[in-house]
Amino acid sequence: MVDYTIIAFLVIIALLCIAPIWYTVAVSFSEKSAVAGGLVTWRPVQFTLSAYETLLSDGSFFRAFGVSVERVILGGGLNFILTVLMAYPLSRSSKQFKMRNIYMWFIIFTMLFSGGLIPLFLTIESYGLLDTIWALVLPGAVPVFNVILLLNFFRAIPKELDEAADMDGAGPWYKLFRIYLPLSVPALATITLFSVVGHWNSFFDGMIFMTQAENYPLQTYIQQLVVQTDISNLTTEELKMIAQMSNKTLNAAKIVISMIPILIVYPFVQRYFIHGIMLGSVKE
Amino acid sequence: MKKVVTTFDSSKIVPNQTVVKRPIIKKDRNTLHYHLMLMPGIILLFLFSIVPMFGVIIAFKDFNPGLGIFNSEWIGLENFRFLFNLPDFVTISRNTLLIAVAKIIVNLVVALCFSLLLNEVRARLFKRSVQTIIYLPHFLSWVILAGIVIDLLSVDGIINQILIFFGADPIMFLASTSWFPFIVVVSDVWKEFGFNTIIYLAALTGISPVLYESAVMDGATRWQQIRYITIPALKPTVVLLATLSLGSVLNAGFDQIFNLYNPIVYETGDIIDTYVYRAGLVNAQFELATAVGLLKSVISFFLIIISYFLASRFANYRIF
């Protein structure tokens, strides 16, 4: 009896969790009038693809989508390479690599302290990176937290393997690419997921570093056109009018399309990240 | 290299000592490669983390974009004096602390309760499916989730339609100073509680089944097992997470609040980070925004150091 109560409770919570997302999907496939009339609940009413058809002809949406894909590939790739290259030397003990602790404190310091928003903005501006894809990619190029995750994972790899490789005359590059990387797939999948999702989801850098709307990545585009509405000086009646005029189905369709890449990647990496996340947390 | 070779020649060492010496040559050569591997990352960190840190001197200057950061006039602590006298300063500090602390506590408690419940279920597949669903919002951006929340809570949104259906008056949730912080906390829990259960579930799998078996032998009820085995076993994890969260009491969640708030709810919803954004990049008060940002950075820095110190002292925790 207790078991069934618990199961029922968990099911309800899980459904509540997914319901808002499900509702948005339902809205995106419904007829405009049905949405405005408040008829849509858990399934599309008067099923139609018209919102998606309108979206297909919207060039700026797909340009923003393209900018996001570009930053994910460039930024995610750069994150991956730099994380791997930094984690390996830092996973050596300070006996093997004397300067290790100095480097370590340096990167920890950059993680704990920051100049803040304005100095970062002025720096990017002075480098002349505004309105370029590099403004979205370079400031976060070294994900320090991921470096720490991966170096902890490297340290858990048995020393004997390392010593055997030394005996056979393997150099650091060979050891990193032929021994450490192949043994670290769960950790690499986790950090790649983190960095790709982070790049796909971030909107703020696009908003401050891009002055032209045509350079916006997708999340910034959605933020500016769907989410941001200044309702400060409006009455309830006016708000109602705006709500009815605004195209809810089209906005829902935009949200759904922007979720798709995450929903595609998610099931594949899910089995890794639960294990991967524990790497950086409680240890012996 | 050359130096090491000469040492070898000159010091006439017995063979078994050369065996000991050999790794040293190797270590020197490896060190060079280690520096090479670190180089690109260190350069980028220097350019994009360290260089901006020098920009904080704006906080002590009367910044004139025409003159640039270094040529602007020094004015000492004038910006901070101005800041502390600002009525907004009290508001944003209070809002930041309240929202951040409420999020920390509610997230901790909800995730803990949920993991305990999930732990009671034996069916593997069911457990996995529930986990898959509740982790999902964590991977969606606040832009998307705020878009959904705004739509649900709008005047003609589904929540208000339900209220009207039950004969209640519609509520303008996102334009109400009393509802806003509540919505911020609830929507944050929606996004993060599932993900937060991961760490508890991992701690729960670490509990030896023998403990439960012997408890059952002694006739312990299910509740007693939870009360006397599970909860004490989770205590170190809870204490550790609570300690580490000390470092984030000034982070009330910029992305979330920025996408949900509007001028009507500034009184209870405006936080340090959103204020810095508006003061600096919207109203071009660079000095003021930098001063607020610097103050936050410095306090956070010390809070994180303290929390790590406490965590390593009392929970044996080390990040690296």
Side-chain angles (χ1 to χ4, degrees):
Chain A
M1 187 55 213
V2 179
D3 282 318
Y4 288 116
T5 321
I6 293 175
I7 288 181
F9 182 76
L10 293 175
V11 169
I12 291 170
I13 298 286
L15 286 180
L16 277 179
C17 234
I18 203 85
I21 297 162
W22 183 256
Y23 170 77
T24 308
V25 176
V27 166
S28 75
F29 286 109
S30 297
E31 196 65 58
K32 268 187 207 170
S33 55
V35 176
L39 299 171
V40 179
T41 47
W42 62 276
R43 63 186 178 83
V45 175
Q46 292 165 291
F47 183 90
T48 169
L49 290 173
S50 66
Y52 290 92
E53 278 159 16
T54 317
L55 193 55
L56 270 179
S57 58
D58 183 352
S60 58
F61 179 83
F62 284 96
R63 192 171 47 215
F65 197 97
V67 173
S68 275
V69 170
E70 194 184 345
R71 80 171 286 179
V72 164
I73 293 171
L74 271 176
L78 201 60
N79 283 164
F80 182 87
I81 295 168
L82 290 171
T83 307
V84 166
L85 285 183
M86 294 190 84
Y88 179 73
L90 294 174
S91 71
R92 308 292 85 191
S93 68
S94 45
K95 248 187 216 153
Q96 289 167 306
F97 180 30
K98 270 210 189 84
M99 298 273 281
R100 185 248 176 201
N101 286 344
I102 297 171
Y103 279 117
M104 203 64 210
W105 284 115
F106 177 82
I107 69 162
I108 296 278
F109 179 69
T110 63
M111 185 171 74
L112 297 188
F113 190 78
S114 86
L117 176 63
I118 308 301
L120 178 67
F121 176 80
L122 293 174
T123 309
I124 302 289
E125 192 184 29
S126 71
Y127 291 161
L129 293 179
L130 293 188
D131 276 311
T132 66
I133 190 86
W134 301 109
L136 307 178
V137 167
L138 292 179
V142 183
V144 175
F145 184 74
N146 289 355
V147 172
I148 294 173
L149 274 183
L150 190 62
L151 84 85
N152 279 332
F153 196 89
F154 282 169
R155 295 193 132 188
I157 290 173
K159 297 255 178 316
E160 289 74 13
L161 273 173
D162 198 80
E163 283 158 13
D166 273 339
M167 290 293 214
D168 292 341
W173 298 90
Y174 189 92
K175 279 201 286 188
L176 171 58
F177 288 105
R178 290 299 174 82
I179 296 171
Y180 281 85
L181 285 195
L183 288 172
S184 311
V185 175
L188 294 172
T190 309
I191 59 167
T192 307
L193 174 76
F194 284 165
S195 90
V196 165
V197 169
H199 271 292
W200 184 261
N201 280 345
S202 78
F203 75 97
F204 188 62
D205 47 4
M207 198 173 85
I208 59 173
F209 297 141
M210 300 297 155
T211 56
Q212 307 294 319
E214 70 206 41
N215 294 324
Y216 282 162
L218 187 59
Q219 301 286 334
T220 313
Y221 171 86
I222 293 180
Q223 204 277 331
Q224 297 282 306
L225 291 148
V226 180
V227 180
Q228 198 177 57
T229 36
D230 188 2
I231 58 168
S232 46
N233 306 313
L234 303 174
T235 63
T236 316
E237 284 311 302
E238 281 173 317
L239 275 173
K240 240 181 192 158
M241 226 172 67
I242 286 185
Q244 266 155 19
M245 269 168 27
S246 80
N247 198 332
K248 282 197 173 192
T249 55
L250 186 61
N251 289 348
K254 285 176 182 167
I255 287 178
V256 171
I257 298 268
S258 77
M259 283 193 292
I260 285 175
I262 302 258
L263 295 179
I264 292 173
V265 193
Y266 180 59
F268 292 103
V269 272
Q270 205 219 350
R271 64 195 178 105
Y272 289 121
F273 76 69
I274 300 174
H275 178 57
I277 283 157
M278 293 310 299
L279 301 173
S281 55
V282 203
K283 291 195 307 290
E284 70 282 9
Chain B
M1 277 294 266
K2 204 180 167 193
K3 206 179 160 193
V4 182
V5 174
T6 43
T7 343
F8 260 73
D9 290 342
S10 60
S11 61
K12 299 220 162 103
I13 351 156
V14 279
N16 68 342
Q17 266 173 322
T18 34
V19 178
V20 184
K21 283 268 171 182
R22 191 163 287 142
I24 294 174
I25 309 173
K26 187 153 186 122
K27 206 197 303 173
D28 285 351
R29 204 188 59 211
N30 283 349
T31 305
L32 178 72
H33 290 290
Y34 295 153
H35 287 299
L36 268 177
M37 288 173 173
L38 285 165
M39 191 83 76
I42 296 290
I43 291 173
L44 283 168
L45 278 177
F46 180 79
L47 287 176
F48 292 95
S49 293
I50 303 293
V51 171
M53 284 180 202
F54 291 107
V56 299
I57 59 171
I58 298 171
F60 307 98
K61 291 194 166 201
D62 179 15
F63 182 63
N64 180 338
L67 293 174
I69 297 176
F70 292 99
N71 296 326
S72 294
E73 193 194 340
W74 288 97
I75 52 167
L77 294 174
E78 194 50 48
N79 290 322
F80 289 91
R81 202 164 299 139
F82 178 72
L83 169 67
F84 290 130
N85 288 325
L86 222 56
D88 288 347
F89 182 68
V90 182
T91 315
I92 58 171
S93 311
R94 187 199 58 205
N95 291 343
T96 305
L97 279 174
L98 281 178
I99 293 175
V101 171
K103 276 184 183 176
I104 290 169
I105 294 171
V106 180
N107 267 318
L108 208 78
V109 172
V110 172
L112 182 63
C113 294
F114 202 85
S115 340
L116 287 175
L117 286 175
L118 208 54
N119 192 46
E120 291 299 306
V121 179
R122 293 279 161 266
R124 263 261 173 99
L125 187 69
F126 175 77
K127 230 166 146 175
R128 279 216 80 133
S129 323
V130 170
Q131 281 174 282
T132 306
I133 292 174
I134 63 174
Y135 296 162
L136 179 63
H138 172 82
F139 292 95
L140 299 173
S141 75
W142 268 119
V143 172
I144 303 286
L145 295 182
I148 295 175
V149 168
I150 290 171
D151 183 44
L152 292 179
L153 296 178
S154 65
V155 197
D156 60 345
I158 192 159
I159 304 280
N160 272 319
Q161 277 169 28
I162 295 171
L163 284 179
I164 293 167
F165 180 80
F166 286 107
D169 284 329
I171 300 169
M172 292 180 56
F173 292 97
L174 292 170
S176 150
T177 47
S178 44
W179 277 100
F180 189 78
F182 179 73
I183 288 158
V184 167
V185 173
V186 171
S187 56
D188 189 63
V189 170
W190 170 41
K191 190 179 194 295
E192 305 297 348
F193 89 95
F195 204 68
N196 292 339
T197 58
I198 291 180
I199 205 156
Y200 292 117
L201 289 171
L204 284 168
T205 53
I207 302 173
S208 160
V210 180
L211 288 174
Y212 292 106
E213 282 160 21
S214 55
V216 171
M217 295 277 248
D218 291 343
T221 64
R222 203 150 162 189
W223 171 246
Q224 284 170 325
Q225 291 175 39
I226 295 177
R227 171 76 184 73
Y228 295 105
I229 300 172
T230 317
I231 292 182
L234 283 179
K235 217 169 123 193
T237 312
V238 176
V239 172
L240 177 64
L241 290 182
T243 315
L244 290 179
S245 63
L246 179 66
S248 59
V249 293
L250 291 184
N251 286 325
F254 175 85
D255 284 9
Q256 176 193 18
I257 290 179
F258 183 75
N259 282 308
L260 284 174
Y261 82 159
N262 57 71
I264 302 174
V265 293
Y266 280 175
E267 191 195 323
T268 57
D270 199 15
I271 56 166
I272 297 175
D273 295 329
T274 48
Y275 185 83
V276 169
Y277 167 74
R278 286 202 319 279
L281 295 181
V282 180
N283 303 328
Q285 296 169 288
F286 286 110
E287 314 91 321
L288 180 66
T290 310
V292 182
L294 176 62
L295 199 63
K296 188 198 158 199
S297 282
V298 171
I299 297 175
S300 291
F301 181 76
F302 284 110
L303 286 175
I304 294 171
I305 301 283
I306 292 169
S307 73
Y308 279 170
F309 173 76
L310 291 175
S312 70
R313 186 83 196 274
F314 299 109
N316 236 346
Y317 172 86
R318 285 173 55 225
I319 52 161
F320 63 90

